[in-house]
Amino acid sequence: MTTNIGLDAGGKKEIASALNVYVANLHVLYTKLHNFHWNLEGHSFFTLHAKLEELYDGVAESIDEFAERVLMLGERPLASMKDYLATAKLAELPSKKFASEDVVNALLEDFRKIAEDLRAVVKLAQKHGDEGTADMAIGELQKYEKSIWMLSAYLG
Ligand SMILES: [Fe+2]
């Protein structure tokens, strides 16, 4: 049995469900990045405010790419806020004032969780010969590793 894109269908459900967790995490992250973008206060406002916008724009693109990958695997992407909140491993934050260190520390924690998850997605996809998904997850992992480095450098 193969999927439409010619993959062995064996691991497709498992891979698609890992991708759905990722899509759910990205929705929580997308909202959280806006929360920080809007509610950040302090001396780093201009630098971080702009950086946060760059990050949530990137997240929006990834959401679409990974949701469409789920469809290519012959499964359904999660598409409701209810499902995202029930599935995501990342937690939301309340709307309140944030200092730059709060923002950077919270993002470092989330990005490290995301990187750990993406490494697991790469292994899972490769185990099932799904090089396309593995490549997407590796590309994504590299972005988060770079952001982790940059945020750590910001903290000094
Ligand atoms: Fe804005």
Side-chain angles (χ1 to χ4, degrees):
M1 232 306 259
T2 59
T3 59
N4 275 348
I5 56 170
L7 270 177
D8 179 345
K12 70 166 191 153
K13 273 201 193 304
E14 207 185 335
I15 296 166
S17 105
L19 295 184
N20 266 328
V21 172
Y22 187 55
V23 169
N25 278 337
L26 290 180
H27 275 88
V28 171
L29 182 61
Y30 182 78
T31 299
K32 194 186 279 184
L33 287 165
H34 278 83
N35 189 354
F36 292 151
H37 175 76
W38 294 322
N39 291 316
L40 172 72
E41 289 184 19
H43 298 299
S44 308
F45 179 82
F46 287 107
T47 325
L48 268 183
H49 179 75
K51 184 69 189 170
L52 290 159
E53 180 170 347
E54 181 193 314
L55 289 171
Y56 66 63
D57 283 344
V59 168
E61 281 177 33
S62 297
I63 285 171
D64 188 46
E65 266 182 53
F66 280 82
E68 287 172 358
R69 185 69 191 175
V70 172
L71 287 158
M72 286 176 221
L73 294 172
E75 298 293 320
R76 289 274 160 210
L78 295 180
S80 75
M81 299 308 293
K82 193 175 162 213
D83 284 346
Y84 295 142
L85 286 173
T87 308
K89 293 182 184 176
L90 303 185
E92 295 199 290
L93 285 174
S95 174
K96 63 177 188 72
K97 175 173 132 179
F98 293 101
S100 54
E101 279 74 19
D102 302 333
V103 167
V104 173
N105 282 319
L107 289 181
L108 270 173
E109 194 182 317
D110 283 356
F111 286 7
R112 285 184 176 126
K113 274 187 209 154
I114 283 177
E116 196 182 304
D117 267 24
L118 285 168
R119 289 184 189 112
V121 170
V122 173
K123 286 206 181 94
L124 176 69
Q126 284 174 338
K127 188 176 95 180
H128 294 288
D130 182 357
E131 297 301 328
T133 297
D135 182 65
M136 285 172 66
I138 289 168
E140 210 59 4
L141 174 62
Q142 287 169 338
K143 283 194 269 176
Y144 283 97
E145 286 174 340
K146 187 169 185 179
S147 292
I148 290 166
W149 162 64
M150 291 174 95
L151 292 173
S152 305
Y154 177 93
L155 289 179

